[in-house]
Amino acid sequence: MSTSVSPAVRLVRGDITDQSVDVIVNAANSSLLGGGGVDGAIHRRGGPEILAACRELRASQYGKGLATGRAVATTAGRLAARWVIHTVGPVFSGAQDRSALLASCYRESLHLAAELGARSIAFPAISTGIYGWPMDDGARIAVRTVLAETVAPVEEVRFVLFDAHAYVEFEEVLAMRG
Ligand code: AR6
């Protein structure tokens, strides 16, 4: 009999570019050509190889850019990871429920990581910065989505939270198991 288990979830306070994991997830935009926040930090620290790979993806498969909720992998350049998975979170809207798109970012990234053979993956709190998503709801969607997935060989999912507020929100949600 085989048993299917969700990956172990860990919370870490810090900078995602410091993490030693197989996959670092980037909160990108659909251009895939860089930006601020996590995106800026990953390209700065990871070096030009990542941007070159992104440009190639744009030229070959994503002429119009990567759609919101989707995920795509590149080299991690100089980062201590094997791959960067770029995903495009939704911009928060009070008028329209875009939660399914945010959940899709986590789900697609996890499944792509599993396809690559990754055992560990680090996520930032996608959409909770420049894209304006409230941290409590962003944390709920992130934790629920990850706990609902079975994605062997991924064994560890690390949420890397930049500040104390984000850490506390994720801690609360995780204590309630989503
Ligand atoms: N490590 C971990 N978390 C971080 C880091 C870091 N180095 N830097 C910021 N955060 P954001 P978004 C936190 O804005 O909201 C870019 O321009 C931050 O405090 O990076 O999805 C892209 O190109 C927040 O909680 O991503 C897009 O245009 C969370 O990470 C747009 O921003 C996400 O913040 C995407 O916006």
Side-chain angles (χ1 to χ4, degrees), residues 12-19 25-45 87-91 102 123-133 135 159-163 166 170:
V12 174
R13 172 130 184 240
D15 183 332
I16 200 163
T17 64
D18 287 333
Q19 304 301 310
V25 176
N26 182 18
N29 60 62
S30 72
S31 81
L32 294 175
L33 300 179
V38 173
D39 202 3
I42 285 175
H43 282 287
R44 263 195 312 277
R45 197 89 188 260
T87 189
V88 184
V91 175
L102 184 54
F123 282 103
I126 300 165
S127 287
T128 65
I130 293 164
Y131 283 177
W133 209 285
M135 190 59 78
F159 288 110
V160 183
L161 294 326
F162 210 40
D163 56 36
F170 271 75

